[in-house]
PDB file of all heavy atoms in Angstrom:
ATOM      1  N   THR A1231     -42.214  45.121   7.336  1.00 60.00           N
ATOM      2  CA  THR A1231     -42.882  43.897   6.874  1.00 60.00           C
ATOM      3  C   THR A1231     -42.999  43.771   5.435  1.00 60.00           C
ATOM      4  O   THR A1231     -42.990  44.759   4.702  1.00 60.00           O
ATOM      5  CB  THR A1231     -44.306  43.742   7.545  1.00 60.00           C
ATOM      6  OG1 THR A1231     -45.101  44.879   7.118  1.00 60.00           O
ATOM      7  CG2 THR A1231     -44.155  43.745   9.063  1.00 60.00           C
ATOM      8  N   LEU A1232     -43.036  42.536   4.935  1.00 58.00           N
ATOM      9  CA  LEU A1232     -43.204  42.334   3.615  1.00 58.00           C
ATOM     10  C   LEU A1232     -44.605  41.674   3.255  1.00 58.00           C
ATOM     11  O   LEU A1232     -45.055  40.779   4.071  1.00 58.00           O
ATOM     12  CB  LEU A1232     -42.123  41.291   3.123  1.00 58.00           C
ATOM     13  CG  LEU A1232     -42.043  40.970   1.651  1.00 58.00           C
ATOM     14  CD1 LEU A1232     -41.769  42.136   0.787  1.00 58.00           C
ATOM     15  CD2 LEU A1232     -41.058  39.908   1.356  1.00 58.00           C
ATOM     16  N   ASP A1233     -45.234  42.067   2.232  1.00 58.00           N
ATOM     17  CA  ASP A1233     -46.610  41.519   1.897  1.00 58.00           C
ATOM     18  C   ASP A1233     -46.461  39.996   1.742  1.00 58.00           C
ATOM     19  O   ASP A1233     -45.541  39.486   1.074  1.00 58.00           O
ATOM     20  CB  ASP A1233     -46.983  42.185   0.601  1.00 58.00           C
ATOM     21  CG  ASP A1233     -48.434  41.794   0.194  1.00 58.00           C
ATOM     22  OD1 ASP A1233     -48.880  40.686   0.515  1.00 58.00           O
ATOM     23  OD2 ASP A1233     -49.141  42.682  -0.271  1.00 58.00           O
ATOM     24  N   THR A1234     -47.324  39.310   2.474  1.00 61.00           N
ATOM     25  CA  THR A1234     -47.256  37.880   2.462  1.00 61.00           C
ATOM     26  C   THR A1234     -47.417  37.242   1.010  1.00 61.00           C
ATOM     27  O   THR A1234     -46.933  36.159   0.703  1.00 61.00           O
ATOM     28  CB  THR A1234     -48.426  37.197   3.291  1.00 61.00           C
ATOM     29  OG1 THR A1234     -49.648  37.760   2.905  1.00 61.00           O
ATOM     30  CG2 THR A1234     -48.094  37.641   4.772  1.00 61.00           C
ATOM     31  N   ASN A1235     -48.099  37.954   0.172  1.00 60.00           N
ATOM     32  CA  ASN A1235     -48.173  37.510  -1.242  1.00 60.00           C
ATOM     33  C   ASN A1235     -46.848  37.528  -2.015  1.00 60.00           C
ATOM     34  O   ASN A1235     -46.676  36.856  -3.092  1.00 60.00           O
ATOM     35  CB  ASN A1235     -49.208  38.331  -1.982  1.00 60.00           C
ATOM     36  CG  ASN A1235     -50.608  38.200  -1.425  1.00 60.00           C
ATOM     37  OD1 ASN A1235     -50.988  37.095  -1.002  1.00 60.00           O
ATOM     38  ND2 ASN A1235     -51.452  39.251  -1.460  1.00 60.00           N
ATOM     39  N   LEU A1236     -45.894  38.306  -1.463  1.00 58.00           N
ATOM     40  CA  LEU A1236     -44.558  38.355  -2.147  1.00 58.00           C
ATOM     41  C   LEU A1236     -43.530  37.486  -1.514  1.00 58.00           C
ATOM     42  O   LEU A1236     -42.420  37.375  -2.100  1.00 58.00           O
ATOM     43  CB  LEU A1236     -44.160  39.860  -2.040  1.00 58.00           C
ATOM     44  CG  LEU A1236     -45.071  40.862  -2.686  1.00 58.00           C
ATOM     45  CD1 LEU A1236     -44.560  42.287  -2.547  1.00 58.00           C
ATOM     46  CD2 LEU A1236     -45.215  40.579  -4.257  1.00 58.00           C
ATOM     47  N   ILE A1237     -43.799  36.890  -0.321  1.00 57.00           N
ATOM     48  CA  ILE A1237     -42.744  36.175   0.357  1.00 57.00           C
ATOM     49  C   ILE A1237     -42.249  35.005  -0.565  1.00 57.00           C
ATOM     50  O   ILE A1237     -40.994  34.883  -0.759  1.00 57.00           O
ATOM     51  CB  ILE A1237     -43.261  35.728   1.695  1.00 57.00           C
ATOM     52  CG1 ILE A1237     -43.480  36.855   2.652  1.00 57.00           C
ATOM     53  CG2 ILE A1237     -42.255  34.768   2.284  1.00 57.00           C
ATOM     54  CD1 ILE A1237     -44.024  36.573   4.013  1.00 57.00           C
ATOM     55  N   ASN A1238     -43.139  34.189  -1.024  1.00 57.00           N
ATOM     56  CA  ASN A1238     -42.667  33.037  -1.783  1.00 57.00           C
ATOM     57  C   ASN A1238     -42.012  33.486  -3.109  1.00 57.00           C
ATOM     58  O   ASN A1238     -41.114  32.841  -3.596  1.00 57.00           O
ATOM     59  CB  ASN A1238     -43.845  32.185  -2.047  1.00 57.00           C
ATOM     60  CG  ASN A1238     -44.363  31.451  -0.772  1.00 57.00           C
ATOM     61  OD1 ASN A1238     -43.589  31.216   0.039  1.00 57.00           O
ATOM     62  ND2 ASN A1238     -45.653  30.999  -0.806  1.00 57.00           N
ATOM     63  N   GLN A1239     -42.592  34.634  -3.698  1.00 56.00           N
ATOM     64  CA  GLN A1239     -42.078  34.999  -4.955  1.00 56.00           C
ATOM     65  C   GLN A1239     -40.657  35.557  -4.897  1.00 56.00           C
ATOM     66  O   GLN A1239     -39.825  35.334  -5.701  1.00 56.00           O
ATOM     67  CB  GLN A1239     -43.060  35.953  -5.610  1.00 56.00           C
ATOM     68  CG  GLN A1239     -42.623  36.508  -7.013  1.00 56.00           C
ATOM     69  CD  GLN A1239     -43.603  37.525  -7.577  1.00 56.00           C
ATOM     70  OE1 GLN A1239     -44.634  37.768  -6.993  1.00 56.00           O
ATOM     71  NE2 GLN A1239     -43.233  37.986  -8.723  1.00 56.00           N
ATOM     72  N   TYR A1240     -40.340  36.362  -3.859  1.00 53.00           N
ATOM     73  CA  TYR A1240     -39.217  37.103  -3.753  1.00 53.00           C
ATOM     74  C   TYR A1240     -38.177  36.568  -2.729  1.00 53.00           C
ATOM     75  O   TYR A1240     -37.086  36.289  -2.939  1.00 53.00           O
ATOM     76  CB  TYR A1240     -39.421  38.564  -3.588  1.00 53.00           C
ATOM     77  CG  TYR A1240     -40.094  39.232  -4.698  1.00 53.00           C
ATOM     78  CD1 TYR A1240     -41.455  39.783  -4.681  1.00 53.00           C
ATOM     79  CD2 TYR A1240     -39.408  39.325  -5.846  1.00 53.00           C
ATOM     80  CE1 TYR A1240     -42.046  40.251  -5.727  1.00 53.00           C
ATOM     81  CE2 TYR A1240     -39.976  39.881  -6.958  1.00 53.00           C
ATOM     82  CZ  TYR A1240     -41.322  40.420  -6.940  1.00 53.00           C
ATOM     83  OH  TYR A1240     -42.011  40.972  -7.984  1.00 53.00           O
ATOM     84  N   VAL A1241     -38.688  36.412  -1.528  1.00 54.00           N
ATOM     85  CA  VAL A1241     -37.854  36.002  -0.312  1.00 54.00           C
ATOM     86  C   VAL A1241     -37.241  34.649  -0.604  1.00 54.00           C
ATOM     87  O   VAL A1241     -35.961  34.469  -0.576  1.00 54.00           O
ATOM     88  CB  VAL A1241     -38.588  36.027   0.991  1.00 54.00           C
ATOM     89  CG1 VAL A1241     -37.627  35.618   2.076  1.00 54.00           C
ATOM     90  CG2 VAL A1241     -39.055  37.486   1.224  1.00 54.00           C
ATOM     91  N   ALA A1242     -38.047  33.597  -0.736  1.00 54.00           N
ATOM     92  CA  ALA A1242     -37.562  32.262  -0.902  1.00 54.00           C
ATOM     93  C   ALA A1242     -36.745  32.089  -2.251  1.00 54.00           C
ATOM     94  O   ALA A1242     -35.713  31.527  -2.311  1.00 54.00           O
ATOM     95  CB  ALA A1242     -38.727  31.284  -0.952  1.00 54.00           C
ATOM     96  N   ALA A1243     -37.317  32.781  -3.331  1.00 52.00           N
ATOM     97  CA  ALA A1243     -36.537  32.599  -4.536  1.00 52.00           C
ATOM     98  C   ALA A1243     -35.147  33.228  -4.568  1.00 52.00           C
ATOM     99  O   ALA A1243     -34.332  32.813  -5.258  1.00 52.00           O
ATOM    100  CB  ALA A1243     -37.442  33.187  -5.688  1.00 52.00           C
ATOM    101  N   LYS A1244     -35.009  34.313  -3.833  1.00 53.00           N
ATOM    102  CA  LYS A1244     -33.803  35.123  -3.896  1.00 53.00           C
ATOM    103  C   LYS A1244     -32.878  34.715  -2.724  1.00 53.00           C
ATOM    104  O   LYS A1244     -31.805  35.382  -2.554  1.00 53.00           O
ATOM    105  CB  LYS A1244     -34.161  36.665  -3.946  1.00 53.00           C
ATOM    106  CG  LYS A1244     -34.787  37.136  -5.198  1.00 53.00           C
ATOM    107  CD  LYS A1244     -33.973  36.813  -6.381  1.00 53.00           C
ATOM    108  CE  LYS A1244     -34.725  37.134  -7.666  1.00 53.00           C
ATOM    109  NZ  LYS A1244     -34.004  36.836  -8.805  1.00 53.00           N
ATOM    110  N   GLY A1245     -33.238  33.812  -1.880  1.00 53.00           N
ATOM    111  CA  GLY A1245     -32.374  33.439  -0.753  1.00 53.00           C
ATOM    112  C   GLY A1245     -32.403  34.179   0.523  1.00 53.00           C
ATOM    113  O   GLY A1245     -31.645  33.980   1.390  1.00 53.00           O
ATOM    114  N   TYR A1246     -33.364  35.094   0.606  1.00 54.00           N
ATOM    115  CA  TYR A1246     -33.474  35.822   1.833  1.00 54.00           C
ATOM    116  C   TYR A1246     -33.988  34.894   3.022  1.00 54.00           C
ATOM    117  O   TYR A1246     -34.960  34.055   2.769  1.00 54.00           O
ATOM    118  CB  TYR A1246     -34.520  36.951   1.676  1.00 54.00           C
ATOM    119  CG  TYR A1246     -33.921  38.237   1.085  1.00 54.00           C
ATOM    120  CD1 TYR A1246     -33.683  38.283  -0.305  1.00 54.00           C
ATOM    121  CD2 TYR A1246     -33.455  39.307   1.854  1.00 54.00           C
ATOM    122  CE1 TYR A1246     -33.171  39.431  -0.798  1.00 54.00           C
ATOM    123  CE2 TYR A1246     -32.922  40.450   1.376  1.00 54.00           C
ATOM    124  CZ  TYR A1246     -32.650  40.505  -0.015  1.00 54.00           C
ATOM    125  OH  TYR A1246     -32.171  41.646  -0.576  1.00 54.00           O
ATOM    126  N   THR A1247     -33.478  35.086   4.186  1.00 52.00           N
ATOM    127  CA  THR A1247     -34.081  34.360   5.296  1.00 52.00           C
ATOM    128  C   THR A1247     -34.760  35.181   6.255  1.00 52.00           C
ATOM    129  O   THR A1247     -35.390  34.730   7.111  1.00 52.00           O
ATOM    130  CB  THR A1247     -32.819  33.677   6.028  1.00 52.00           C
ATOM    131  OG1 THR A1247     -31.931  34.715   6.524  1.00 52.00           O
ATOM    132  CG2 THR A1247     -32.042  32.761   5.202  1.00 52.00           C
ATOM    133  N   SER A1248     -34.793  36.539   6.063  1.00 57.00           N
ATOM    134  CA  SER A1248     -35.371  37.426   7.040  1.00 57.00           C
ATOM    135  C   SER A1248     -35.465  38.798   6.307  1.00 57.00           C
ATOM    136  O   SER A1248     -34.954  39.039   5.297  1.00 57.00           O
ATOM    137  CB  SER A1248     -34.732  37.434   8.403  1.00 57.00           C
ATOM    138  OG  SER A1248     -33.352  37.998   8.102  1.00 57.00           O
ATOM    139  N   ILE A1249     -36.170  39.635   7.023  1.00 62.00           N
ATOM    140  CA  ILE A1249     -36.352  41.126   6.588  1.00 62.00           C
ATOM    141  C   ILE A1249     -35.627  41.966   7.557  1.00 62.00           C
ATOM    142  O   ILE A1249     -35.699  41.986   8.709  1.00 62.00           O
ATOM    143  CB  ILE A1249     -37.837  41.483   6.583  1.00 62.00           C
ATOM    144  CG1 ILE A1249     -38.600  40.575   5.645  1.00 62.00           C
ATOM    145  CG2 ILE A1249     -37.980  42.944   6.108  1.00 62.00           C
ATOM    146  CD1 ILE A1249     -38.068  40.546   4.268  1.00 62.00           C
ATOM    147  N   LYS A1250     -34.737  42.799   7.029  1.00 70.00           N
ATOM    148  CA  LYS A1250     -33.910  43.876   7.886  1.00 70.00           C
ATOM    149  C   LYS A1250     -34.933  44.923   8.281  1.00 70.00           C
ATOM    150  O   LYS A1250     -35.588  45.561   7.471  1.00 70.00           O
ATOM    151  CB  LYS A1250     -32.821  44.461   7.022  1.00 70.00           C
ATOM    152  CG  LYS A1250     -32.039  45.410   7.826  1.00 70.00           C
ATOM    153  CD  LYS A1250     -30.668  45.776   7.106  1.00 70.00           C
ATOM    154  CE  LYS A1250     -31.030  46.599   5.844  1.00 70.00           C
ATOM    155  NZ  LYS A1250     -29.717  47.124   5.268  1.00 70.00           N
ATOM    156  N   THR A1251     -34.942  45.091   9.635  1.00 76.00           N
ATOM    157  CA  THR A1251     -35.794  46.102  10.183  1.00 76.00           C
ATOM    158  C   THR A1251     -35.110  47.331  10.823  1.00 76.00           C
ATOM    159  O   THR A1251     -35.637  48.375  10.989  1.00 76.00           O
ATOM    160  CB  THR A1251     -36.750  45.480  11.272  1.00 76.00           C
ATOM    161  OG1 THR A1251     -35.861  44.971  12.310  1.00 76.00           O
ATOM    162  CG2 THR A1251     -37.671  44.395  10.650  1.00 76.00           C
ATOM    163  N   ARG A1252     -33.834  47.086  11.115  1.00 83.00           N
ATOM    164  CA  ARG A1252     -33.111  48.105  11.878  1.00 83.00           C
ATOM    165  C   ARG A1252     -31.675  47.806  11.868  1.00 83.00           C
ATOM    166  O   ARG A1252     -31.224  46.716  11.801  1.00 83.00           O
ATOM    167  CB  ARG A1252     -33.573  48.183  13.396  1.00 83.00           C
ATOM    168  CG  ARG A1252     -32.943  49.140  14.203  1.00 83.00           C
ATOM    169  CD  ARG A1252     -33.299  48.972  15.747  1.00 83.00           C
ATOM    170  NE  ARG A1252     -32.640  49.793  16.676  1.00 83.00           N
ATOM    171  CZ  ARG A1252     -33.003  50.945  17.106  1.00 83.00           C
ATOM    172  NH1 ARG A1252     -34.111  51.536  16.659  1.00 83.00           N
ATOM    173  NH2 ARG A1252     -32.223  51.664  17.978  1.00 83.00           N
ATOM    174  N   SER A1253     -30.757  48.900  12.005  1.00 89.00           N
ATOM    175  CA  SER A1253     -29.384  48.745  12.157  1.00 89.00           C
ATOM    176  C   SER A1253     -28.839  49.737  13.117  1.00 89.00           C
ATOM    177  O   SER A1253     -29.434  50.845  13.285  1.00 89.00           O
ATOM    178  CB  SER A1253     -28.706  48.896  10.714  1.00 89.00           C
ATOM    179  OG  SER A1253     -28.702  50.266  10.321  1.00 89.00           O
ATOM    180  N   GLN A1254     -27.818  49.436  13.751  1.00 94.00           N
ATOM    181  CA  GLN A1254     -27.211  50.316  14.729  1.00 94.00           C
ATOM    182  C   GLN A1254     -25.697  50.197  14.738  1.00 94.00           C
ATOM    183  O   GLN A1254     -25.134  49.177  14.363  1.00 94.00           O
ATOM    184  CB  GLN A1254     -27.734  49.963  16.155  1.00 94.00           C
ATOM    185  CG  GLN A1254     -27.384  50.935  17.210  1.00 94.00           C
ATOM    186  CD  GLN A1254     -28.278  50.751  18.472  1.00 94.00           C
ATOM    187  OE1 GLN A1254     -29.254  49.983  18.494  1.00 94.00           O
ATOM    188  NE2 GLN A1254     -28.016  51.529  19.513  1.00 94.00           N
ATOM    189  N   TYR A1255     -25.035  51.330  14.969  1.00 96.00           N
ATOM    190  CA  TYR A1255     -23.520  51.226  14.984  1.00 96.00           C
ATOM    191  C   TYR A1255     -22.901  52.017  16.095  1.00 96.00           C
ATOM    192  O   TYR A1255     -23.494  52.939  16.670  1.00 96.00           O
ATOM    193  CB  TYR A1255     -23.025  51.798  13.593  1.00 96.00           C
ATOM    194  CG  TYR A1255     -23.077  53.339  13.480  1.00 96.00           C
ATOM    195  CD1 TYR A1255     -22.057  54.095  13.896  1.00 96.00           C
ATOM    196  CD2 TYR A1255     -24.209  53.898  13.007  1.00 96.00           C
ATOM    197  CE1 TYR A1255     -22.175  55.483  13.778  1.00 96.00           C
ATOM    198  CE2 TYR A1255     -24.305  55.277  12.878  1.00 96.00           C
ATOM    199  CZ  TYR A1255     -23.212  56.070  13.271  1.00 96.00           C
ATOM    200  OH  TYR A1255     -23.291  57.396  13.127  1.00 96.00           O
ATOM    201  N   TYR A1256     -21.706  51.532  16.454  1.00 97.00           N
ATOM    202  CA  TYR A1256     -20.870  52.288  17.434  1.00 97.00           C
ATOM    203  C   TYR A1256     -19.428  52.327  16.846  1.00 97.00           C
ATOM    204  O   TYR A1256     -18.832  51.275  16.355  1.00 97.00           O
ATOM    205  CB  TYR A1256     -20.852  51.513  18.828  1.00 97.00           C
ATOM    206  CG  TYR A1256     -22.175  51.310  19.384  1.00 97.00           C
ATOM    207  CD1 TYR A1256     -22.933  50.110  19.177  1.00 97.00           C
ATOM    208  CD2 TYR A1256     -22.812  52.246  20.249  1.00 97.00           C
ATOM    209  CE1 TYR A1256     -24.093  49.884  19.638  1.00 97.00           C
ATOM    210  CE2 TYR A1256     -24.109  51.992  20.770  1.00 97.00           C
ATOM    211  CZ  TYR A1256     -24.676  50.840  20.479  1.00 97.00           C
ATOM    212  OH  TYR A1256     -25.938  50.555  21.007  1.00 97.00           O
TER     213      TYR A1256
END
């Protein structure tokens, strides 16, 4: 999770639409 105080400052400003939580490969 990302601190809600940082969402507008970083996520919206930098074009992020979500937060990566996990990756899996085969």
Side-chain angles (χ1 to χ4, degrees):
T1231 59
L1232 182 65
D1233 190 322
T1234 54
N1235 295 325
L1236 299 175
I1237 291 179
N1238 292 333
Q1239 182 180 358
Y1240 292 115
V1241 178
K1244 295 300 175 181
Y1246 277 81
T1247 59
S1248 60
I1249 302 300
K1250 182 171 67 172
T1251 59
R1252 179 185 172 94
S1253 68
Q1254 191 162 353
Y1255 74 92
Y1256 306 91

